[in-house]
Amino acid sequence: MNDTRAEYLCGRLDFWDSLSERQQSRLLDGTTISRYKKGSVIHNGVGDLGLIFVRRGRVCVYTVSEEGREFVLLRLFAGDCCALASLPMENTGFPVLINAETEADLMIIDSQAIKDICKTSIKAESFLRQLTMRHFCDVVSNMQNMLQVSAERRIVAYICRESDRMGTARIRTTHEQIARHVGTAREVVSRTLGRLASSGALELERGVIIIRDKSKLRKLM
Amino acid sequence: MNDTRAEYLCGRLDFWDSLSERQQSRLLDGTTISRYKKGSVIHNGVGDLGLIFVRRGRVCVYTVSEEGREFVLLRLFAGDCCALASLPMENTGFPVLINAETEADLMIIDSQAIKDICKTSIKAESFLRQLTMRHFCDVVSNMQNMLQVSAERRIVAYICRESDRMGTARIRTTHEQIARHVGTAREVVSRTLGRLASSGALELERGVIIIRDKSKLRKLM
């Protein structure tokens, strides 16, 4: 009766087959499937949610500074798995928040189930350690990128990436969203987009950016 | 005969007592004690060094971008332990380099010994996972700080911290070093220090910064 969940976890957790039936059912007991609407809050940073798997859609994992500035830690796509929602703020010193950027289907294994399995399965511990290490490396690369590359280049790269991903020259997004993704201020995004529009590379409509000259844009990356 | 190493590891590794004698001697076989001169390279980013323990001195763990800019990931002090030297660049996408900022005594458990123990000790796996998580949180906090706080505030905070730590108003350092630590350009450091010197907060000598008015400095933090 737990077919969907068991099948999915079996394909995603390389240690699944090494678990006893009892361990497998402990994990399944703690596993839920949920659908989130575009823009909805998946995790508000309070308590620990657990291990999340993105089955469909796009999810943003970010943190907020005391001054209220948001920084994207990771973006997750279908097939991705994330352990950061099991980090309570007492341990990190910063909140981990998660939003659905598009409608998203998630499978979530609650923290307690993960903890229980990790007590007895060395392969589960090892899986989590490797996942944590991957998150670490991804976040360092992202942050390094933010610190080094000028805001303009990051904004242009973001627009090109979104366009490639969606297969369209019309990108629905707000200046606020771009600012959050590339780690800059909204004003910097507005100014940069204005400049790119004057140069003929882009056209701006309310809530939409239209790429007019992609080769010009690419030269700025 | 391995007394020093065994005693030290016993106090540092919360899983030590859970290991069999055989596992303990496997770890000790892979453990070395080394002294590094101030400024020397502990790890050049090639291959994996292992788990390092700082017994004395100060160590800097950093990465270098393709453009040659350095970013400090972590600074380690006596008692600290670091797993990042066991990350080969193939896995991270960025090199992890380690330098001795002062003369430093390290104890290093080589990667293979760690791997061997992790195959059979769930507590060792769990220790490493928690250590990795702590590195992750520290690095996010550092980077967030770099992205948010102005270069001047970071430079002032760095100078005050160094002064407190060393218990002196005379700080031996170069503009290059400060730039690396706070994640900005050397020119920004020189300009900022010049401004702080004009205001009477600091005095600059070759290779030395002297704090003249600490309360003035603290107000800028």
Side-chain angles (χ1 to χ4, degrees), chain B residues 30-55:
Chain B
T31 302
T32 47
I33 296 180
S34 322
R35 174 160 297 175
Y36 293 87
K37 283 191 192 152
K38 180 179 169 174
S40 63
V41 175
I42 296 168
H43 184 49
N44 66 1
V46 177
D48 45 357
L49 187 64
L51 190 62
I52 71 177
F53 298 87
V54 180
R55 300 176 69 205

Side-chain angles (χ1 to χ4, degrees), chain A residues 23 36 93 163 180-181 186 196:
Chain A
Q23 288 173 316
Y36 293 86
S163 159
R180 184 139 56 82
H181 281 296
R186 196 182 46 72
L196 294 169

Side-chain angles (χ1 to χ4, degrees), chain A residues 123-157:
Chain A
K123 291 195 171 167
E125 263 293 354
S126 169
F127 172 88
L128 276 184
R129 176 157 71 93
Q130 284 168 41
L131 186 61
T132 307
M133 201 53 103
R134 209 159 58 230
H135 290 338
F136 175 86
C137 296
D138 289 347
V139 167
V140 169
S141 296
N142 281 355
M143 292 256 185
Q144 221 188 357
N145 195 37
M146 281 186 202
L147 285 162
Q148 287 177 84
V149 180
S150 75
E152 178 177 280
R153 281 176 62 190
R154 271 142 52 199
I155 293 165
V156 168

Side-chain angles (χ1 to χ4, degrees), chain A residues 106-125:
Chain A
L106 302 192
M107 192 174 276
I108 302 177
I109 309 181
D110 70 50
S111 290
Q112 196 52 54
I114 293 289
K115 274 183 204 146
D116 287 350
I117 295 306
C118 280
K119 272 183 210 142
T120 51
S121 162
I122 196 164
K123 291 195 171 167
E125 263 293 354

Side-chain angles (χ1 to χ4, degrees), chain B residues 60-64 70-74 95-99 180:
Chain B
C60 180
V61 183
Y62 63 104
T63 184
V64 178
E70 295 180 2
F71 289 102
V72 175
L73 297 172
L74 297 172
V96 173
L97 301 120
I98 307 186
N99 276 2
R180 183 140 57 82

Side-chain angles (χ1 to χ4, degrees), chain A residues 63-67 69 71 73 83-84 87 91-94 117-122 125-126 128-129 132-133 135-137 139-141 143-144 146-148 183, chain B residues 63-67 69 71 73 83-84 87 91-94 117-122 125-126 128-129 132-133 135-137 139-141 143-144 146-148 183:
Chain A
T63 184
V64 179
S65 71
E66 284 173 27
E67 298 83 33
R69 280 192 66 185
F71 288 102
L73 298 171
L84 299 181
L87 289 177
N91 301 346
T92 56
F94 53 85
I117 295 306
C118 280
K119 272 183 210 142
T120 51
S121 162
I122 196 164
E125 263 293 354
S126 169
L128 276 184
R129 176 157 71 93
T132 307
M133 201 53 103
H135 290 338
F136 175 86
C137 296
V139 167
V140 169
S141 296
M143 292 256 185
Q144 221 188 357
M146 281 186 202
L147 285 162
Q148 287 177 84
Chain B
T63 184
V64 178
S65 71
E66 283 174 28
E67 298 84 32
R69 279 192 66 185
F71 289 102
L73 297 172
L84 299 180
L87 289 177
N91 301 346
T92 56
F94 52 86
I117 295 305
C118 280
K119 271 182 212 146
T120 51
S121 162
I122 196 164
E125 262 293 352
S126 169
L128 276 184
R129 177 157 70 95
T132 306
M133 202 51 105
H135 291 337
F136 174 85
C137 296
V139 168
V140 170
S141 295
M143 294 257 183
Q144 221 188 355
M146 281 185 203
L147 285 163
Q148 288 178 84

Side-chain angles (χ1 to χ4, degrees), chain A residues 13 15-16 19 23-31 109 113 117:
Chain A
L13 301 174
F15 60 88
W16 181 261
L19 299 178
Q23 288 173 316
Q24 289 181 351
S25 52
R26 174 69 194 95
L27 269 189
L28 287 176
D29 285 345
T31 303
I109 309 181
I117 295 306

Side-chain angles (χ1 to χ4, degrees), chain A residues 1-185:
Chain A
M1 71 190 178
N2 282 320
D3 268 358
T4 324
R5 293 183 294 166
E7 239 174 64
Y8 192 82
L9 292 185
C10 171
R12 290 289 149 197
L13 301 174
D14 59 12
F15 60 88
W16 181 261
D17 286 338
S18 75
L19 299 178
S20 67
E21 267 187 46
R22 201 171 158 170
Q23 288 173 316
Q24 289 181 351
S25 52
R26 174 69 194 95
L27 269 189
L28 287 176
D29 285 345
T31 303
T32 47
I33 295 179
S34 323
R35 174 161 296 177
Y36 293 86
K37 282 191 192 151
K38 180 179 170 174
S40 63
V41 175
I42 295 169
H43 184 49
N44 66 0
V46 177
D48 45 357
L49 187 64
L51 190 63
I52 72 178
F53 298 86
V54 180
R55 300 176 68 205
R56 193 177 63 90
R58 199 171 74 202
V59 160
C60 180
V61 183
Y62 64 104
T63 184
V64 179
S65 71
E66 284 173 27
E67 298 83 33
R69 280 192 66 185
E70 294 180 2
F71 288 102
V72 174
L73 298 171
L74 298 171
R75 300 177 83 198
L76 307 173
F77 299 89
D80 286 344
C81 172
C82 178
L84 299 181
S86 50
L87 289 177
M89 199 182 155
E90 305 90 83
N91 301 346
T92 56
F94 53 85
V96 173
L97 301 118
I98 307 184
N99 275 3
E101 290 195 330
T102 63
E103 184 176 89
D105 288 334
L106 302 192
M107 192 174 276
I108 302 177
I109 309 181
D110 70 50
S111 290
Q112 196 52 54
I114 293 289
K115 274 183 204 146
D116 287 350
I117 295 306
C118 280
K119 272 183 210 142
T120 51
S121 162
I122 196 164
K123 291 195 171 167
E125 263 293 354
S126 169
F127 172 88
L128 276 184
R129 176 157 71 93
Q130 284 168 41
L131 186 61
T132 307
M133 201 53 103
R134 209 159 58 230
H135 290 338
F136 175 86
C137 296
D138 289 347
V139 167
V140 169
S141 296
N142 281 355
M143 292 256 185
Q144 221 188 357
N145 195 37
M146 281 186 202
L147 285 162
Q148 287 177 84
V149 180
S150 75
E152 178 177 280
R153 281 176 62 190
R154 271 142 52 199
I155 293 165
V156 168
Y158 176 80
I159 292 171
C160 291
R161 213 163 51 225
E162 286 299 288
S163 159
D164 292 345
R165 182 133 53 217
M166 302 297 184
T168 169
R170 291 179 65 88
I171 301 145
R172 301 203 155 272
T173 182
T174 64
H175 296 193
E176 190 63 43
Q177 265 171 352
I178 299 179
R180 184 139 56 82
H181 281 296
V182 308
T184 187

